[in-house]
Coordinates of all heavy atoms in Angstrom, one line a residue:
C42 N 11.1 -4.6 0.7 CA 9.9 -5.4 0.6 C 9.9 -6.5 1.6 O 10.9 -7.3 1.6 CB 9.7 -6.0 -0.8 SG 8.2 -6.9 -1.0
H43 N 8.7 -6.6 2.4 CA 8.8 -7.6 3.3 C 7.9 -8.8 2.8 O 7.5 -9.7 3.5 CB 8.2 -7.3 4.7 CG 6.9 -6.5 4.7 ND1 6.8 -5.1 4.5 CD2 5.7 -6.9 4.9 CE1 5.5 -4.8 4.6 NE2 4.9 -5.9 4.9
N44 N 7.4 -8.6 1.5 CA 6.7 -9.8 0.9 C 7.1 -10.1 -0.4 O 6.3 -10.1 -1.5 CB 5.1 -9.3 0.8 CG 4.3 -9.2 2.2 OD1 4.6 -10.0 3.1 ND2 3.5 -8.3 2.3
P45 N 8.4 -10.4 -0.6 CA 9.0 -10.7 -1.9 C 8.2 -12.0 -2.5 O 8.4 -12.3 -3.7 CB 10.5 -11.0 -1.7 CG 10.5 -11.4 -0.3 CD 9.4 -10.6 0.5
D46 N 7.6 -12.8 -1.7 CA 7.0 -14.0 -2.1 C 5.7 -13.7 -2.9 O 5.0 -14.6 -3.4 CB 6.6 -15.0 -1.0 CG 6.1 -14.2 0.2 OD1 6.2 -13.0 0.3 OD2 5.4 -15.0 1.2
T47 N 5.3 -12.4 -3.0 CA 4.2 -12.0 -3.8 C 4.5 -11.5 -5.1 O 3.6 -11.0 -5.8 CB 3.3 -10.9 -3.0 OG1 4.1 -9.7 -2.9 CG2 2.8 -11.3 -1.7
W48 N 5.8 -11.4 -5.4 CA 6.3 -10.7 -6.7 C 5.8 -11.4 -8.0 O 5.3 -10.8 -8.8 CB 7.7 -10.6 -6.7 CG 8.3 -9.6 -5.7 CD1 7.7 -8.6 -5.1 CD2 9.7 -9.5 -5.5 NE1 8.6 -7.9 -4.3 CE2 9.9 -8.3 -4.5 CE3 10.9 -10.0 -5.8 CZ2 11.0 -7.9 -4.0 CZ3 12.2 -9.6 -5.3 CH2 12.2 -8.5 -4.4
K49 N 6.1 -12.7 -8.1 CA 5.8 -13.4 -9.3 C 4.3 -13.6 -9.7 O 3.6 -14.1 -8.9 CB 6.4 -14.8 -9.2 CG 8.0 -14.8 -9.2 CD 8.5 -16.3 -9.1 CE 10.0 -16.1 -9.2 NZ 10.6 -17.5 -9.1
V50 N 3.9 -13.0 -10.8 CA 2.6 -12.9 -11.3 C 2.1 -14.4 -11.4 O 0.8 -14.6 -11.1 CB 2.5 -12.1 -12.5 CG1 1.1 -12.2 -13.1 CG2 2.8 -10.7 -12.3
N51 N 2.8 -15.3 -11.8 CA 2.2 -16.7 -12.1 C 2.2 -17.6 -10.9 O 1.7 -18.8 -11.0 CB 3.0 -17.4 -13.2 CG 2.9 -16.6 -14.5 OD1 1.9 -16.1 -14.8 ND2 4.0 -16.6 -15.3
D52 N 2.7 -17.1 -9.7 CA 2.4 -17.8 -8.4 C 1.0 -17.5 -7.9 O 0.3 -16.8 -8.6 CB 3.5 -17.6 -7.4 CG 4.9 -18.1 -7.8 OD1 4.9 -18.9 -8.8 OD2 5.9 -17.8 -7.2
G53 N 0.8 -17.9 -6.8 CA -0.5 -17.7 -6.1 C -1.6 -18.7 -6.4 O -1.3 -19.7 -7.0
K54 N -2.8 -18.4 -6.0 CA -3.9 -19.3 -6.1 C -5.1 -18.6 -6.7 O -5.4 -17.4 -6.2 CB -4.1 -20.2 -4.9 CG -4.4 -19.2 -3.7 CD -4.6 -20.0 -2.4 CE -4.8 -19.2 -1.2 NZ -4.8 -19.8 0.1

Side-chain angles (χ1 to χ4, degrees):
C42 181
H43 57 272
N44 290 323
D46 46 340
T47 66
W48 285 352
K49 291 183 177 178
V50 173
N51 294 327
D52 287 352
K54 55 187 177 186

